[in-house]
Amino acid sequence: MMAARVLLEVCVETPAGIEAAIEGGADRIELCAALALGGLTPSAAMMTFAGKAGLPVTALIRPRAGGFRYDAPELALIADDISRARDAGLAGVAIGVGGAEGLDVAAMDRLMRAAEGLTVTLHRVFDLMEDKARALEAARTLGVARILTSGGAASAAQGAATLAALVRQSAGRIGILAAGGIRAANARALVEATGVDEVHASCGSAASATAAELAFGFAPADQRVTDAAAVGALRSALDRA
């Protein structure tokens, strides 16, 4: 049986995206830059802008594209950006560091201390963990509030069995925030199949770019923007259960 209300988090990268998420009925915003790369750390100015949005905002703190093993200078950058998120008045941060055998617990502990007073989401580095049950327990012990995951699959629908297992394992001790290809058409079935009570989506629609912008590499070929109607449709689908 579904929860009374499934929380909807929408990931955005622009001021217009924030407005669209709010208009559509999002409960929480994940603020990023470069969503086409899976999301990178937003600028300090963008964090400050988002801090005035009137909704809880989580900033993704990811200093570069690629994998999630970070050296000492990169960890220092992440810690500094966590401080900027706090200074901007944001509710939380999404962070994650991978290691040879799962989460890099030592690095995560350092970042958790830097994030004291903020709500921490373990981002989709979790989907690269071979032993997800072990990674969940490590995250819980570290004090992580929720795990953003597709169940280790290309989409949440494909990872539904793993998501359901994670929900059972968590037993309310840590949140499971389902992500990956979630939209109005499949959201209700996913939530009913897995028991998740938080959903993360981009709710984007295609945005056009000029031939010159594409030729110079100023815009990705698959550029998308947050669509208030898509947010609203997803919110309605979750509410109809």
Side-chain angles (χ1 to χ4, degrees):
M1 181 179 295
M2 291 183 62
R5 179 178 171 88
V6 178
L7 185 145
L8 174 58
E9 176 180 278
V10 177
C11 51
V12 308
E13 58 184 341
T14 64
I18 291 174
E19 293 176 3
I22 293 170
E23 179 184 343
D27 300 295
R28 185 173 64 229
I29 289 169
E30 183 192 60
L31 183 68
C32 314
L35 279 173
L37 298 175
L40 298 176
T41 306
S43 70
M46 191 64 205
M47 290 190 208
T48 299
F49 180 90
K52 303 170 185 176
L55 284 184
V57 177
T58 295
L60 175 65
I61 309 297
R62 183 183 176 213
R64 55 162 171 76
F68 300 100
R69 297 192 189 186
Y70 299 115
D71 58 23
E74 289 174 324
L75 288 172
L77 287 177
I78 293 171
D80 284 348
D81 281 326
I82 290 171
S83 294
R84 289 182 173 86
R86 179 187 292 105
D87 292 345
L90 303 191
V93 291
I95 57 176
V97 186
E101 298 182 357
L103 286 181
D104 184 334
V105 173
M108 282 293 297
D109 181 65
R110 171 186 171 186
L111 296 179
M112 291 297 296
R113 285 185 275 112
E116 184 176 357
L118 298 173
T119 300
V120 175
T121 300
L122 176 63
H123 63 42
R124 291 187 65 187
V125 64
F126 181 85
D127 284 326
L128 302 182
M129 302 291 103
E130 184 174 347
D131 188 340
K132 292 178 177 55
R134 178 184 175 190
L136 182 151
E137 295 301 334
R140 185 193 64 80
T141 300
L142 284 162
V144 168
R146 68 182 68 89
I147 298 170
L148 176 66
T149 176
S150 64
S155 70
Q158 292 172 332
T162 298
L163 286 168
L166 293 169
V167 170
R168 289 192 297 270
Q169 180 187 348
S170 70
R173 299 173 301 152
I174 186 170
I176 303 299
L177 174 57
I182 300 174
R183 53 193 183 278
N186 63 11
R188 178 178 175 179
L190 175 76
V191 174
E192 290 178 338
T194 62
V196 296
D197 58 9
E198 296 188 55
V199 164
H200 170 102
S202 62
C203 298
S205 61
S208 60
T210 67
E213 289 167 346
L214 294 172
F216 280 99
F218 296 153
D222 59 349
Q223 182 175 332
R224 299 178 68 80
V225 296
T226 310
D227 186 332
V231 178
L234 179 51
R235 176 71 269 164
S236 294
L238 295 172
D239 288 342
R240 283 197 300 270

